[in-house]
Every structure is written in structure tokens, then in C-alpha cells.
């Protein structure tokens, strides 16, 4: 399946149905009068985060989504039916932006969250609604209100616990393949990874999700190489694993190059806990390994892990370090959660699976 993390979509909610102008005419009924029903409400456009998706590729082939219009009212006080809604199914972690690509509409971070992007137009009143003591035979009705239309941007930021960063050929994809069932493309040339990959790592019976993104090179924030556009996929992670290949001639410079690109990207990504590891150590002799370990330690200010995904050396230790940071971060998040608020039923709110959509009790508008 192809990977797509950004899509432009046009949406339109349904127009409301028109009210009916009708009068009751039946044999032997002395008093007839108006009996035109109200028009039905137009369908809404919703977006919902669902499980089992990790790309927006479906929106490459369909960019227009229109809800159904409400049915017109009819005689005998028959109200028109509501138009069918349209729901955009998106992966968990999708953000919805206005057409300016800056105004955030909603951020769907949990499975089952829903948000109404465009409300359907209200149906018009039939002439029975206007009957009064001073006007017992109104001969007019209201048209339905138009729906809403807009162009929006969908932007996906994958949900993962840990993110892998580093230069191309730092061994990120090999690491992911060694600790999970993910099978990213692995080859001995730069930019083998062209889009993010996810994998589930397990250590001591505990699981966490790893995200591998394409490598960063000097000038990535200016668009050099693949650029830094995929860094958004590690914004939500709890910890970064910075891999530096032992085959680099200057491992300290390699570390600082990636660090500089992370700082240039911004969005507080450098504030995340960072674990540094010297990878591919199986290609070095002991003396060279010690020298490069000291050089990398000076550059990053801490003792790096030394790992080899091929031989398995050091892999358990680095996985446990990642797990410890993730568990600690998750525990802190649980403590910061406020007391559970009463359930709201506002139709534009983000709702979970168990909350439902609520009833729509909004009156028709004339």
C-alpha cells in the first residue's frame, strides 16, 4: 500500500428540504386548513478516526464528499426525511486544517473520535407551521437553508511511542526489522526508506510502537534530500532513539548534523527525551569502537549505547531504556489527567465510541 500523509478534500453538507404548501381537502370534512409538512434537515459531514489505517491514500482517489439533501415536506403534515450523512474515515493521529493549512479544526488522537466538519441546512417550515388565529389559511412555506461547503486539509501524524532518527544508512530500518515484525526495505544506499514505517517492539512482555522515518541530512529543513516533512510523525512520540552509524568517519559530527536539523524543525521536538546509540558496531575492532564511543559521548553529553541489529549485541539494553522512558511518560500523563467531566452532547464536540452522537433536537428555522 502506498503511503500518503497529506490530502486536500472538498466537502459539502446537504441542503435542507423545502416546506410544503398544502391544504386538507376531504369530503364531509367541514374544516380543512393547512397541512403542509416541514422539510427535512440536510445531511452532515463527519470525520472519524478508525483503527486499521495508517495512510491517507484513499483520499488520493476521492477528493469530493457531499452529504444528501433533506427531503421536501408533503401534505397531511408529513415532514421530509433527513438527508444521509457522509463520514470520512481517517487513521488515528489525523489533523484537520482549514484551507489556509494553518487553522486547526480538530486533532483525532483516539480511535472512535468523531467531529462534525459541516452541518446540514435546516429544513423549511411548511404552511401548517404558520397557522394562527389571525391567519388560518397561510399559503406560503419556507425553503430549506443551504448546507456548508469548504475545502480542508487532512494531515497525518502517526501515533507511536518511540521514534527512530539519524542520518541515512544509520541502521534505523535494520533496527526496526530486528525488534519487530515490520519489514521495511533495507539496502546499502542512502534514502532506502522513503516513507515512515511502524513496528511493535516487545521487551519483557511489554509492547510499544516504534516509528522509523527517512534519514535526515544537512540542510533537510531547507528541503535538501527528502527534507524534514516526515518529522511530524515523531512529534507525538514519548522518546527519540538517535542512531549514529559506527561506519561514519566522524560520529560526533554525524550526531550534531541530525541534532541541528531537529532544532531547525522546531515544534519542541528537541525537548523530548533522547537515547543515543552507536549502531552497526559489528564492523569495528575493539580499539576503534572505544575511540568512536568516546567521540560520540563528547558530542551528545552522555554515554551512548552500543548496538548491532545483526548480531543482537546491546539490543535488549536499548529496548529496556526506551520502555522505561515510555512507561514513566505514560504514568506522568495519567497523573496529570483532570477529573472526568460530565458527558456533553454538543453535536460539534469530539466524541468517543461509547458516547454516541446524541440526539439532534435543533428546531427548524424559518
Amino acid at each position: 500500500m502506498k503511503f500518503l500523509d497529506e490530502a486536500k478534500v472538498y466537502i459539502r453538507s446537504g441542503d435542507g428540504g423545502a416546506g410544503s404548501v398544502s391544504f386538507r381537502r376531504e369530503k364531509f370534512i367541514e374544516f380543512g386548513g393547512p397541512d403542509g409538512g416541514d422539510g427535512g434537515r440536510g445531511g452532515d459531514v463527519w470525520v472519524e478516526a478508525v483503527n486499521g489505517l495508517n495512510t491517507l491514500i484513499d483520499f488520493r482517489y476521492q477528493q469530493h464528499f457531499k452529504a444528501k439533501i433533506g427531503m421536501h415536506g408533503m401534505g397531511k403534515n408529513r415532514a421530509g426525511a433527513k438527508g444521509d450523512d457522509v463520514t470520512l474515515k481517517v487513521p488515528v493521529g489525523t489533523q484537520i486544517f482549514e484551507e489556509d493549512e494553518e487553522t486547526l479544526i480538530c486533532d483525532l488522537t483516539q480511535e472512535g473520535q468523531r467531529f462534525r466538519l459541516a452541518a446540514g441546512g435546516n429544513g423549511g417550515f411548511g404552511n401548517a407551521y404558520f397557522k394562527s388565529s389571525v391567519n388560518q389559511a397561510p399559503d406560503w412555506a419556507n425553503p430549506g437553508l443551504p448546507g456548508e461547503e469548504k475545502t480542508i486539509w487532512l494531515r497525518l501524524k502517526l501515533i507511536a511511542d518511540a521514534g527512530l532518527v539519524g542520518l541515512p544508512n544509520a541502521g534505523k530500518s535494520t533496527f526496526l526489522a530486528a525488534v519487530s515484525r515490520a519489514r521495511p526495505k533495507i539496502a546499502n544506499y542512502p534514502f532506502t526508506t522513503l516513507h515512515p514505517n511502524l513496528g511493535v517492539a516487545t521487551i519483557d512482555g511489554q509492547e510499544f510502537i516504534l516509528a522509523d522515518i527517512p534519514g535526515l541530512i544537512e540542510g533537510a529543513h531547507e528541503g535538501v534530500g527528502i527534507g524534514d516533512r516526515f518529522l511530524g510523525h515523531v512529534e507525538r512520540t514519548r522518546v527519540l532513539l538517535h542512531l549514529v552509524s559506527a561506519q561514519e568517519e566522524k560520529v560526533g559530527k554525524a550526531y550534531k548534523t541530525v541534532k541541528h536539523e531537529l532544532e531547525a524543525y522546531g515544534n519542541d521536538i528537541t525537548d523530548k527525551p533522547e537515547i543515543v546509540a552507536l549502531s552497526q558496531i559489528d564492523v569495528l575492532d575493539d580499539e576503534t569502537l572505544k575511540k568512536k564511543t568516546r567521540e560520540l559521548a563528547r558530542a551528545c553529553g552522555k554515554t551512548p549505547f552500543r548496538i548491532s541489529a545483526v548480531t543482537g549485541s546491546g539490543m535488549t539494553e536499548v529496548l529496556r531504556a526506551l520502555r522505561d522512558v515510555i512507561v514513566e511518560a505514560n504514568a506522568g500523563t495519567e497523573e496529570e489527567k483532570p477529573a472526568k467531566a460530565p458527558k456533553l452532547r454538543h453535536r460539534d464536540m469530539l466524541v468517543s465510541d461509547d458516547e454516541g452522537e446524541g440526539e439532534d433536537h435543533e428546531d427548524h428555522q424559518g
Side-chain angles (χ1 to χ4, degrees):
M1 186 186 341
K2 293 183 178 180
F3 183 84
L4 186 70
D5 63 352
E6 191 172 77
K8 186 179 183 180
V9 173
Y10 168 83
I11 60 173
R12 178 178 173 82
S13 58
D15 297 337
S20 172
V21 177
S22 175
F23 293 90
R24 184 179 183 186
R25 296 183 180 87
E26 295 182 41
K27 191 176 182 180
F28 306 122
I29 301 298
E30 182 177 1
F31 300 103
D35 66 350
D38 300 335
R41 182 184 176 83
D44 301 328
V45 180
W46 292 80
V47 62
E48 180 181 0
V50 299
N51 194 17
L53 294 177
N54 59 6
T55 175
L56 298 173
I57 190 64
D58 292 341
F59 298 97
R60 171 169 289 178
Y61 307 107
Q62 182 181 359
Q63 293 92 27
H64 292 75
F65 295 86
K66 299 179 182 179
K68 299 294 185 181
I69 65 172
M71 298 297 292
H72 301 316
M74 294 172 282
K76 299 183 180 179
N77 291 309
R78 289 174 293 176
K82 182 182 183 299
D84 293 336
D85 295 341
V86 166
T87 301
L88 283 62
K89 306 283 189 179
V90 299
V92 177
T94 301
Q95 294 179 318
I96 314 295
F97 289 87
E98 296 282 6
E99 190 173 6
D100 61 9
E101 298 188 62
E102 295 180 358
T103 306
L104 179 65
I105 300 175
C106 64
D107 190 359
L108 306 176
T109 58
Q110 295 180 2
E111 181 184 352
Q113 281 184 320
R114 289 167 56 86
F115 187 85
R116 192 177 67 173
L117 298 172
N122 283 336
F125 291 124
N127 67 334
Y129 177 84
F130 299 104
K131 180 181 177 182
S132 67
S133 60
V134 296
N135 186 4
Q136 296 194 14
D139 58 355
W140 67 87
N142 283 349
L145 296 181
E148 303 174 15
E149 60 178 328
K150 63 174 71 175
T151 298
I152 59 173
W153 283 89
L154 311 181
R155 191 171 299 158
L156 174 61
K157 292 182 179 179
L158 295 174
I159 303 293
D161 299 306
L164 301 177
V165 296
L167 292 173
N169 282 355
K172 300 185 299 298
S173 296
T174 305
F175 182 92
L176 183 66
V179 301
S180 72
R181 286 187 169 184
R183 291 295 174 262
K185 185 177 180 181
I186 300 172
N188 189 25
Y189 55 83
F191 300 116
T192 309
T193 300
L194 297 177
H195 59 77
N197 294 299
L198 290 179
V200 179
T202 304
I203 185 68
D204 299 333
Q206 292 180 293
E207 295 182 344
F208 58 90
I209 301 175
L210 279 168
D212 167 30
I213 65 169
L216 300 171
I217 62 175
E218 188 172 359
H221 67 283
E222 297 175 344
V224 179
I226 295 181
D228 62 1
R229 65 179 297 259
F230 291 117
L231 274 177
H233 296 287
V234 296
E235 279 185 34
R236 302 183 192 271
T237 59
R238 302 292 190 183
V239 58
L240 297 178
L241 176 58
H242 189 157
L243 295 183
V244 180
S245 173
Q247 299 185 64
E248 293 286 344
E249 184 177 349
K250 298 181 178 180
V251 292
K253 180 181 178 182
Y255 171 83
K256 291 179 179 178
T257 296
V258 174
K259 194 70 174 178
H260 173 70
E261 296 304 322
L262 295 177
E263 292 171 352
Y265 176 79
N267 293 338
D268 300 325
I269 199 168
T270 54
D271 295 337
K272 295 182 179 296
E274 180 188 57
I275 293 176
V276 182
L278 187 64
S279 61
Q280 302 171 341
I281 61 171
D282 52 287
V283 301
L284 299 181
D285 57 67
D286 292 342
E287 187 63 31
T288 306
L289 177 59
K290 290 178 182 178
K291 178 183 176 181
K292 292 197 173 185
T293 302
R294 289 193 299 267
E295 181 185 348
L296 181 56
R298 286 194 300 269
C300 67
K302 64 183 97 174
T303 303
F305 288 87
R306 298 188 294 186
I307 63 172
S308 170
V310 175
T311 65
S313 175
M315 298 292 283
T316 301
E317 290 76 11
V318 77
L319 286 176
R320 284 175 176 162
L322 289 171
R323 177 207 57 194
D324 292 344
V325 175
I326 294 168
V327 170
E328 183 179 351
N330 289 339
T333 302
E334 290 294 327
E335 291 175 1
E336 293 172 4
K337 283 184 179 179
K340 189 174 182 181
K343 290 183 180 179
L344 302 177
R345 291 297 182 180
H346 192 285
R347 63 187 182 184
D348 281 350
M349 66 178 287
L350 292 172
V351 296
S352 298
D353 266 338
D354 56 346
E355 293 181 6
E357 295 179 24
E359 296 293 333
D360 186 359
H361 294 298
E362 184 170 329
D363 294 334
H364 292 272
Q365 293 182 0

